[in-house]
Amino acid sequence: MIVPSPSPPVEIGLNAAVVAIFNRGPAILTVGGGAGEREALPFGPFEPARHRTFETSLRASVEQQTALKLGYIEQLYTFGDRGRQKSPSEAGTHMVSVGYLALTRMDAEATERLEATGAHWRDWYAFLPWEDWRHGRPAVLDQTIIPALSEWAAASWQNDGKSLPNRRTRLRLAFGLDDFPWDEERVLERYELLYEGGLAEEAVTDGRAPGKAAVGLAMQHDHRRILATAVARLRAKIKYRPVIFELMPSEFTLTELQATVEAISGRHLHKQNFRRLVEGAELVEPTGGTTSETGGRPAALFHFRRQILQERPAPGLKVGGR
């Protein structure tokens, strides 16, 4: 009789992808990163003896680590694959992590307290540079990513004639090759291909792929996968829910709103088309005030029109595909 090996103990962890807008760009909150250490998303164990729910435990962990009190949060996904916390022979406690997306407004006083804890706001495109199309097609796609992944798919064909169509099709869909358009919501699919193809440094560390030219900053464990999941969720959600206003101050100009939508979606939006989109969605209304901080003539100030939540089942800014 074969006696099965005992399963390792399992611990539930909680990770937060906390997003804010900083200098009109998308910022993600990270911890660690000193002395050659990779940066990580704020995280902590679920402690049922102290907290009744995952959400209250997550809020307490983030505040303890970063001095930041979270506002809007929603659960993303459960990350529990074996090997996600690389350790020798996969021994020890297996960590299953519940990922969350959190949105907050940038506040100078809160940021000062946050930085005193060693936490930082980082441009999320530093970790996912191929996702930023605000100034045109990212050069890293044609210079590094597409050639390397095309070679990876072709090598699969040489070794196993059944593998190429799957890899090639995934590559075309995820990166908008041939007759397929670029879909800004396929963030996780693109990261997974980079991981499998060895272009993510985490895959080399995990022993999952041979090293190639690493693209974007690596993060601890599988935190960049969690970040990619959060970016994909937020890009999709702004199209049917008014969550973009969780990142905006109480009063803002339409230029500031456009810059925020562009920062999250990674797309450049035509000014007049965007304004027609906003007017048609009826999500904002003028406050009657103006600001001269734009440097030109005074710009009108707007705020979120909360009545839309009772008027329409899916109010959002439906920015189109490429």
Side-chain angles (χ1 to χ4, degrees):
M1 179 180 178
I2 299 176
V3 178
S5 301
S7 297
V10 174
E11 182 175 338
I12 298 176
L14 305 169
N15 290 81
V18 185
V19 179
I21 294 297
F22 182 66
N23 289 336
R24 297 194 176 183
I28 189 77
L29 184 62
T30 67
V31 296
E37 178 188 50
R38 293 177 184 174
E39 293 180 61
L41 299 175
F43 61 92
F46 173 54
E47 300 177 285
R50 296 181 56 196
H51 303 285
R52 186 177 64 85
T53 67
F54 285 176
E55 183 176 319
T56 55
S57 187
L58 176 76
R59 290 180 184 277
S61 293
V62 170
E63 186 172 356
Q64 181 180 4
Q65 281 188 305
T66 69
L68 181 67
K69 291 186 177 181
L70 296 180
Y72 174 94
I73 71 170
E74 67 171 85
Q75 191 175 125
L76 280 173
Y77 189 74
T78 299
F79 300 83
D81 292 355
R82 188 165 60 90
R84 63 178 300 269
Q85 308 267 3
K86 182 64 176 176
S87 60
S89 69
E90 307 292 354
T93 300
H94 179 67
M95 178 67 75
V96 174
S97 185
V98 181
Y100 282 81
L101 168 66
L103 307 180
T104 190
R105 296 178 178 89
M106 191 64 70
D107 176 87
E109 184 178 339
T111 298
E112 187 175 334
R113 292 196 306 269
L114 177 152
E115 291 179 346
T117 68
H120 309 278
W121 289 111
R122 297 290 189 226
D123 182 346
W124 77 19
Y125 292 123
F127 302 103
L128 309 168
W130 57 88
E131 295 293 337
D132 187 3
W133 287 64
R134 289 173 295 173
H135 306 292
R137 183 179 176 87
V140 70
L141 283 172
D142 298 314
Q143 292 175 358
T144 303
I145 292 175
I146 302 305
L149 289 182
S150 296
E151 181 181 343
W152 169 73
S156 170
W157 173 254
Q158 294 169 9
N159 296 327
D160 178 358
K162 298 179 181 179
S163 298
L164 176 62
N166 180 44
R167 285 188 177 181
R168 181 62 186 171
T169 298
R170 290 174 61 204
L171 184 57
R172 290 170 67 203
L173 283 169
F175 285 92
L177 303 184
D178 303 331
D179 54 340
F180 287 96
W182 176 274
D183 184 345
E184 63 266 16
E185 294 179 31
R186 293 183 181 269
V187 189
L188 181 59
E189 295 169 52
R190 287 188 279 272
Y191 176 75
E192 294 290 7
L193 281 169
L194 289 166
Y195 183 92
E196 293 175 36
L199 276 74
E201 191 176 333
E202 294 91 333
V204 180
T205 304
D206 294 347
R208 303 286 196 251
K212 294 184 180 180
V215 182
L217 295 179
M219 301 186 82
Q220 288 185 34
H221 308 306
D222 60 354
H223 289 197
R224 193 154 52 143
R225 180 175 284 110
I226 298 173
L227 171 60
T229 306
V231 175
R233 172 72 64 83
L234 186 53
R235 284 182 170 182
K237 193 138 192 172
I238 63 173
K239 298 176 183 179
Y240 64 89
R241 295 299 297 168
V243 293
I244 198 71
F245 299 101
E246 299 290 341
L247 300 168
M248 302 297 298
S250 58
E251 296 185 351
F252 48 83
T253 66
L254 292 183
T255 297
E256 290 170 333
L257 179 60
Q258 179 176 341
T260 300
V261 174
E262 289 178 333
I264 298 302
S265 67
R267 309 174 69 244
H268 170 69
L269 302 170
H270 186 273
K271 182 177 179 179
Q272 295 306 320
N273 289 344
F274 177 78
R275 299 203 171 195
R276 281 194 291 269
L277 176 67
V278 171
E279 290 174 4
E282 299 181 312
L283 292 172
V284 302
E285 59 187 2
T287 66
T290 61
T291 178
S292 56
E293 293 181 4
T294 56
R297 63 181 185 180
L301 289 169
F302 293 78
H303 60 207
F304 173 48
R305 194 174 72 85
R306 295 195 175 276
Q307 299 96 304
I308 196 71
L309 298 173
Q310 282 77 48
E311 298 169 359
R312 197 174 299 169
L317 290 168
K318 295 177 174 59
V319 291
R322 277 181 215 290

